[in-house]
Amino acid sequence: MSMPTPMPQPERENYLNKEYGVWSWLLTTDHKRIALLYLLSITFFFFIGGFFALLIRLELLTPAGDLVQADTYNKLFTMHGMVMVFFFLIPSIPAVLGNFLVPMMIGAKDLAFPRVNLLSWYLYIIGGVMMLHCMLTGGVDTGWTFYAPFATNFTNTKIVEAGLAIFVAGFSSILTGLNFVVTIHRMRAPGMTWSRLPLFIWAHYATSIIQLLGTPVIAVTIVLVAAERALHLGIFDPKLGGDPLLFQHLFWFYSHPAVYIMILPAMGVVTEIIACFSRKRIFGYSFVAFSSIAIAVFGFLVWAHHMFVAGMSVYAALVFSLLSYAVAVPSAIKVFNWTATLYKGSIHYDAPMLYAFGFLGLFTIGGLTGLFLAALGIDVHVTDTYFVVAHFHYIMVGGAVMGYLGGMHFWWPKISGRLYPEGWARLAALIVFIGFNLTFFPQFILGYMGMPRRYYDYSHMPEFQVLNVLSTAGATVLGVGYLLPMIYFLWSMRYGKPASDNPWNAAGLEWKTASPPPTFNFDEEPVVTWEAYNYEELDAPHSEEVPVGR
Amino acid sequence: MSEHSKSSPLPTYFAVFFALLVGTALTVYAATLDLGKYNAAVALTIASVKATLVALFFMHVKGASEKLTKLVVIAALFFLLLLLGLTMTDYATRLWS
Ligand code: HEM
Ligand SMILES: [Cu+2]
């Protein structure tokens, strides 16, 4: 489908060409430029985390521990986890797409605290540099979970430095959340009522609440670990009157909700994409909105499902198992409502939608296997096996990263003012989907057969090799799938066709301004008189018709 | 915060600051006494009083007219309660040997 789209004035002033030079970026308070700073930085950390993943998969290609030794292997999976969780996935959608879009979607000029926004990026960078320094000078070997007493009493790797890096980066996350909450409460354009907000905003609102309430707990926990190591306070060490399980309680009180920091924004992205590419209002708008809030609240009630075999009381295990089932309800509400939105929609298979479909399937598999794990009887058998690894990668990579990529494609014309090559993008989406499943599906089977996680050598069980080879092969396919978008996005910045203001004919205020937008987003303050996702209206024959896709 | 948020007169701040110092001294003193199972209770009580003072005066929660501010405070307390309460489902029912 191609239609002559009106070319935007090439010389129009926008946030990209308004000023040039390093300082115009490093001292910017424009949320859109800060979003791009974040985009560059998290992409950098994605490569580092990916590099560790590659080495892990290479080691597991053969049963013997031949590529690296046990110590190195421990450091590899630890640093893979820490980098991917704290320096890529947690900031990914909120700090890049959220930063760029939250003000624009509600019709504001910027976030409520533009300088705090810049500060959050600097904190992230300081944390990131500390983490790099830590990794280059020896690294950490405890796993991203830092369990006591290994982390507090035994390991002599750089726990305190890594902890401080995460502590600092945590504050960047808190500040982003704070900024979003205040912005969403205070800066909505006239007529942009709560019930007219895009569901992307609701998802980010819920995410921000978790960031605000949860992150301080992990910060305090890290301080306690440092204090115990440095001052020998008896907090987690039983010899000194502490309790090692207390660490796990505190750690997971943040880190389970943190998994929702990673997935809720992706849910928001997918909601926008599904509405646009099935040309329908989201089915059950208010249910989808409130399920985000419900996930944020219930997410805080389930943390000890990570501790079923750690020695906590059986009664508590029962309570947390039950509560874990409760949190699946709002997630299921979302999946059902997305499906109902697709029903009788006029569906377009553009690249963002392919990612959204990938998300739907993979998140569902990840979520349902989460329920397996939340059942005490099953968890006892598969805890600490590759089954768990497969479970959370289906959600975090199959869900969150798919959502992130889908969102990057969907909003790329707005961000860069250029169109990406659609054919390549669809191909990349397909490669990502195939590579992902090839990498992680075998891990479900491996875990079910009993392969433990975090082992570098499985020579006593050579029959595990076939599935491990499949998984490593899949990882290389997945790697290609991730490199492609990076290449054609860069290519399109120079050679891509200029994008019109609204290339998808999408609803939402961000599409009512120029691509790329001017520094203060709108030439005049928008006034909202329509409901969210008014696709039926947009597509009605009397309105000017611009087909979706190219 | 802006001008119209209710701040207290300067002497109040000094009084609160002094009370916090007293609290700190009390905590240190209490740590030298062995009160058996009340050790933690006493320390936590002092700490809670101090935290309340900070929130009410230094963080201007006292006199805040905004519903939103109150909501934030209540939410924070609620989540603290969750952390403590649900953790206690473990500690209160664990088989200590
Ligand atoms: C929605 C996004 C979700 C994400 C991102 C996620 C992520 C994770 C992660 C990272 C772990 C491994 C932690 C570790 O041991 O290092 C994990 C384990 C677990 N997940 Fe999920 N999860 C999600 C949803 C769910 C759901 C909906 C449930 C159940 C209702 C669930 C239940 C579990 C359980 C029980 C474990 C512990 C397995 C074990 O170690 O024995 N998860 N999840
Ligand atoms: Cu969890």
Side-chain angles (χ1 to χ4, degrees):
Chain A
M1 287 192 282
S2 83
M3 270 267 290
T5 37
M7 293 284 161
Q9 297 283 53
E11 289 311 311
R12 214 197 125 119
E13 186 176 275
N14 60 52
Y15 80 104
L16 289 171
N17 67 11
K18 182 160 185 267
E19 286 175 281
Y20 294 95
V22 181
W23 292 112
S24 78
W25 285 89
L26 291 184
L27 295 179
T28 183
T29 51
D30 181 345
H31 64 104
K32 299 179 288 302
R33 285 191 166 210
I34 296 173
L36 293 192
L37 292 177
Y38 263 117
L39 175 62
L40 283 180
S41 353
I42 69 162
T43 306
F44 173 75
F45 278 101
F46 185 65
F47 271 110
I48 301 206
F51 171 71
F52 292 135
L54 192 74
L55 291 180
I56 294 173
R57 282 317 321 165
L58 280 179
E59 168 56 53
L60 295 177
L61 199 54
T62 57
D66 35 21
L67 180 67
V68 294
Q69 288 311 303
D71 288 354
T72 315
Y73 187 78
N74 291 346
K75 289 182 179 173
L76 286 178
F77 69 69
T78 302
M79 295 186 300
H80 166 69
M82 288 193 313
V83 168
M84 286 303 203
V85 169
F86 297 110
F87 292 91
F88 173 69
L89 211 44
I90 287 183
S92 63
I93 296 179
V96 178
L97 293 173
N99 235 333
F100 196 93
L101 294 164
V102 165
M104 236 182 280
M105 282 183 165
I106 65 172
K109 287 189 176 133
D110 204 313
L111 286 173
F113 308 118
R115 273 179 293 213
V116 170
N117 195 20
L118 183 63
L119 174 65
S120 97
W121 181 71
Y122 276 102
L123 287 175
Y124 171 87
I125 290 297
I126 294 171
V129 169
M130 288 166 73
M131 183 53 82
L132 284 177
H133 178 263
C134 163
M135 294 188 302
L136 289 174
T137 55
V140 184
D141 68 347
T142 57
W144 76 283
T145 46
F146 306 106
Y147 274 10
F150 183 59
T152 47
N153 292 18
F154 296 101
T155 181
N156 45 23
T157 52
K158 305 218 153 182
I159 284 289
V160 174
E161 194 177 342
L164 281 180
I166 291 169
F167 183 92
V168 174
F171 276 85
S172 109
S173 174
I174 293 174
L175 292 182
T176 304
L178 180 75
N179 229 333
F180 285 177
V181 169
V182 177
T183 307
I184 295 169
H185 271 278
R186 292 299 201 183
M187 303 188 49
R188 283 171 285 124
M192 181 53 94
T193 58
W194 285 89
S195 60
R196 283 176 177 165
L197 286 174
L199 291 159
F200 181 91
I201 299 291
W202 277 97
H204 275 75
Y205 185 75
T207 308
S208 305
I209 293 178
I210 305 177
Q211 287 175 312
L212 276 175
L213 291 170
T215 318
V217 178
I218 188 88
V220 170
T221 311
I222 289 170
V223 171
L224 291 179
V225 168
E228 174 143 341
R229 270 181 85 88
L231 311 171
H232 303 285
L233 299 181
I235 300 159
F236 306 123
D237 182 359
K239 276 204 302 277
L240 300 171
D243 175 37
L245 277 196
L246 179 61
F247 175 84
Q248 296 189 26
H249 278 300
L250 292 173
F251 179 84
W252 288 114
F253 182 80
Y254 165 75
S255 294
H256 182 82
V259 307
Y260 292 107
I261 297 180
M262 303 178 230
I263 200 71
L264 271 168
M267 292 169 156
V269 167
V270 164
T271 311
E272 300 300 311
I273 295 177
I274 287 182
C276 177
F277 294 95
S278 47
R279 313 303 300 165
K280 275 178 68 185
R281 180 174 160 85
I282 284 289
F283 182 85
Y285 171 95
S286 44
F287 279 90
V288 179
F290 282 107
S291 64
S292 287
I293 307 296
I295 286 177
V297 175
F298 287 143
F300 276 100
L301 308 181
V302 303
W303 76 83
H305 64 213
H306 297 270
M307 304 165 54
F308 286 157
V309 300
M312 72 171 177
S313 94
V314 179
Y315 173 76
L318 219 71
V319 170
F320 277 100
S321 173
L322 196 74
L323 289 170
S324 298
Y325 278 83
V327 78
V329 175
S331 310
I333 288 179
K334 283 192 193 288
V335 173
F336 288 133
N337 282 292
W338 290 322
T339 316
T341 307
L342 293 172
Y343 180 65
K344 289 195 171 163
S346 92
I347 294 175
H348 299 257
Y349 296 91
D350 296 86
M353 189 61 158
L354 296 186
Y355 284 106
F357 278 134
F359 175 99
L360 266 182
L362 301 178
F363 170 73
T364 304
I365 295 178
L368 286 177
T369 50
L371 290 178
F372 293 16
L373 293 170
L376 286 172
I378 297 178
D379 188 63
V380 170
H381 291 281
V382 292
T383 187
D384 278 332
T385 68
Y386 261 87
F387 192 90
V388 175
V389 177
H391 154 66
F392 64 77
H393 282 88
Y394 261 77
I395 292 179
M396 296 157 104
V397 181
V401 179
M402 282 273 185
Y404 171 65
L405 286 176
M408 282 305 296
H409 285 82
F410 187 48
W411 284 291
W412 185 251
K414 185 57 61 182
I415 295 173
S416 69
R418 301 293 181 132
L419 300 175
Y420 62 79
E422 181 65 31
W424 281 102
R426 293 187 194 186
L427 179 69
L430 201 67
I431 294 177
V432 167
F433 184 78
I434 294 172
F436 173 82
N437 283 293
L438 197 56
T439 311
F440 291 106
F441 199 79
Q443 299 186 0
F444 275 128
I445 307 173
L446 279 170
Y448 183 74
M449 295 189 339
M451 176 159 169
R453 65 194 283 203
R454 297 178 169 173
Y455 278 37
Y456 80 122
D457 175 327
Y458 54 99
S459 36
H460 60 299
M461 285 292 204
E463 66 269 29
F464 289 156
Q465 188 175 9
V466 177
L467 288 166
N468 271 299
V469 170
L470 274 183
S471 181
T472 302
T476 56
V477 177
L478 188 56
V480 172
Y482 287 150
L483 281 175
L484 271 177
M486 213 118 40
I487 295 169
Y488 60 70
F489 278 152
L490 284 174
W491 175 89
S492 77
M493 281 164 64
R494 203 177 171 96
Y495 304 105
K497 277 191 243 146
S500 62
D501 292 354
N502 188 357
W504 310 114
N505 195 18
L509 280 179
E510 78 272 28
W511 300 108
K512 295 202 184 300
T513 183
S515 302
T519 298
F520 291 115
N521 298 342
F522 301 96
D523 292 331
E524 50 198 274
E525 186 178 48
V527 177
V528 183
T529 54
W530 57 89
E531 301 304 313
Y533 309 111
N534 53 343
Y535 281 104
E536 278 89 347
E537 252 171 76
L538 280 180
D539 293 349
H542 61 267
S543 73
E544 60 170 311
E545 204 163 8
V546 186
V548 181
R550 275 151 257 134
Chain B
M1 278 276 150
S2 51
E3 306 81 74
H4 48 259
S5 79
K6 292 230 172 42
S7 49
S8 316
L10 208 55
T12 315
Y13 287 125
F14 280 110
V16 173
F17 179 61
F18 185 71
L20 292 175
L21 288 182
V22 172
T24 308
L26 264 178
T27 311
V28 173
Y29 174 67
T32 63
L33 305 177
D34 191 1
L35 303 170
K37 63 178 179 181
Y38 295 108
N39 272 332
V42 169
L44 284 176
T45 308
I46 302 174
S48 310
V49 171
K50 285 169 66 184
T52 311
L53 285 177
V54 171
L56 285 180
F57 293 98
F58 291 167
M59 295 169 80
H60 299 290
V61 170
K62 181 173 177 289
S65 52
E66 281 263 354
K67 278 206 198 94
L68 194 57
T69 314
K70 288 184 180 140
L71 186 68
V72 168
V73 174
I74 292 170
L77 282 177
F78 176 68
F79 277 82
L80 186 64
L81 215 70
L82 280 182
L83 170 62
L84 299 180
L86 279 175
T87 305
M88 285 317 285
T89 62
D90 174 16
Y91 286 97
T93 61
R94 211 188 281 171
L95 285 177
W96 302 92
S97 47

